[in-house]
Amino acid sequence: MNLEVWNIAIASVLLMLVYASVTSAFDMLNASLDDSANTNLTSKLGYECSSINSFISIGGSFIVPFLQCLGYRILISGSALFHVPLFLGMIFLNEYAIIAGAAIHGIADGVVWVVVFDYVVSVSQKKNIERNMSYFIFTYSFAALLGNLINYFNLDSPKKITDSARIHIYSFCTVVTVIAAFLGAFGLRKMPSTPSLQNSIQDQVDHHAVDSDAEDYNDHDQLISSSTSYLRRDSDSVLKRLLRFLLKPATLAQGVTSIVSGMYDAWIVITFTCIRNTYSDRHLLPICGLIFGCCKILFSGIWNKLTIHFGYKFMIILITLITLFWLLIIMAIFPPISLHDKGHPSDALLPQGPWAVYLLGLVTGISRTWMDVLKQISCGTCSRADDVMEGFKPSVMFTVKTIVWSSASAITYAVVPFINFYVLVGMSLFGLIVNHIMFLKILLGYFGATEIRDRLE
């Protein structure tokens, strides 16, 4: 197994284990708080923690450039460990520990979402970026399945999440995350240096001087330094080039689609809250999650084949239609009050039984999986496009994406307790239309572009 494949496999499994724990923790967060013996802790605290986590992750994204001198191995494994305090707070059910854990968890999220995806791009040859991102996301997709298996086998009552079940769930989350951190610390390998690449890099920047920190670029670095951003020393200031980068149509489109993605990711927690408020059987939560997880594995696994056979334009249209169906299901099967309080299936537009929750898990899995894959691959391809990046390293694009995505998620979590159910659905429908336009009109041209440029060269 070559080092490119090995490192992507290790990074994929690490992220899968970390977010299996995160999935398990946040899917059960609101329900665990509402069902706890401490009446002062409710799902309101859960929404607050989700919002805090998303807001703080913005700061985590900002600090990545200052931490890159530590190297990928320390950053990836260290950020994995920083997810643990929230789990410990839920084990001991201390309000202040939970809030502090959510904040620390946010820092870890901000770092890991920039560093891990930047790492996958950096160890990939240009022609393999889209393929490697697809396989990476496929492996990561097992997180939802594993996380909900943790929840399903630890629930000991269909009516409530008992204290023993809560302790077992968050203890599992802690152990799995620690294992992931050790995997990153001892599993990631340094790529071999390729001196000839240094010359090609110099040619690409018209013989401008390169930062002294970037003197020993590796084969996997390709314009990426593990310590500082790659910047050309030309007549333009860094600020001017940063402004040009931010105003590029591709960067703006990445920002808009990240807003929509952040809102839709918040819908996962919102959906589990609606299920809990509508149906009394707590086992529906992990069962819906298991269906969602199986769909993520299956539909991320076939993504690469589908894009080769049907093309990206067809897939973008299909994703939009499936997501539209997903939003209509949400609007139809949940009573509006379930967003904030207890409801009953008979109060929904189309009163249904638990099977409607299974259908929701299926459609949610397809929609969210394909939209996430599309978003991550588009970000990866744009981050390697010279006409977009203005000489900055790819992590800058991932940082922008993470900041915008985290902001959108945080704002969505923050307004949920105060907003009408149908207003939230309407906002999501509007976001879907804008997302569709951004991908078709702007980002579509970047899919496959790196491979085409390589062939032209």
Side-chain angles (χ1 to χ4, degrees), residues 154-272:
N154 282 288
L155 288 180
D156 51 17
S157 171
K159 298 300 180 183
K160 65 177 293 186
I161 299 174
T162 63
D163 287 343
S164 62
R166 172 179 50 77
I167 292 171
H168 287 156
I169 287 171
Y170 287 97
S171 296
F172 265 97
C173 293
T174 302
V175 171
V176 170
T177 305
V178 171
I179 292 172
F182 274 96
L183 183 65
F186 298 102
L188 297 176
R189 297 286 182 265
K190 185 177 181 180
M191 301 290 283
S193 298
T194 307
S196 60
L197 183 64
Q198 181 71 16
N199 298 327
S200 67
I201 292 172
Q202 295 287 349
D203 294 338
Q204 289 181 45
V205 296
D206 300 323
H207 305 290
H208 282 296
V210 180
D211 244 338
S212 59
D213 288 324
E215 286 181 7
D216 59 343
Y217 274 123
N218 297 339
D219 187 27
H220 76 292
D221 282 326
Q222 300 190 26
L223 302 180
I224 297 173
S225 167
S226 63
S227 55
T228 58
S229 296
Y230 169 75
L231 303 172
R232 294 175 300 178
R233 289 179 179 169
D234 52 23
S235 57
D236 290 334
S237 68
V238 172
L239 186 60
K240 286 182 179 179
R241 289 193 294 109
L242 179 61
L243 185 60
R244 287 204 302 268
F245 161 71
L246 292 174
L247 293 178
K248 294 279 187 179
T251 309
L252 293 174
Q254 287 292 340
V256 171
T257 56
S258 293
I259 292 174
V260 178
S261 180
M263 181 190 302
Y264 282 1
D265 282 344
W267 261 111
I268 303 298
V269 174
I270 294 168
T271 299
F272 276 90

Side-chain angles (χ1 to χ4, degrees), residues 64-80:
V64 169
F66 303 100
L67 298 177
Q68 285 182 326
C69 59
L70 299 175
Y72 284 118
R73 186 180 300 173
I74 293 177
L75 275 178
I76 292 173
S77 56
S79 60

Side-chain angles (χ1 to χ4, degrees), residues 26 29 44-58 102-103 106 269 406-417:
F26 277 91
L29 183 63
K44 185 175 182 295
L45 175 62
Y47 279 127
E48 289 173 354
C49 286
S50 298
S51 184
I52 290 170
N53 174 74
S54 296
F55 268 123
I56 297 295
S57 67
I58 298 171
V269 174
S406 299
S407 301
S409 293
I411 292 170
T412 304
Y413 286 128
V415 302
V416 162

Side-chain angles (χ1 to χ4, degrees), residues 279-325:
Y279 297 92
S280 59
D281 187 356
R282 290 291 186 262
H283 283 102
L284 285 176
L285 297 173
I287 290 174
C288 180
L290 286 170
I291 297 171
F292 172 75
C294 290
C295 287
K296 285 183 73 71
I297 295 168
L298 173 62
F299 289 96
S300 62
I302 64 175
W303 169 268
N304 206 41
K305 297 292 185 184
L306 290 175
T307 54
I308 292 172
H309 189 74
F310 295 105
Y312 277 97
K313 184 175 182 178
F314 174 85
M315 293 303 297
I316 290 169
I317 295 171
L318 182 61
I319 290 168
T320 300
L321 293 175
I322 293 173
T323 306
L324 175 62
F325 182 50

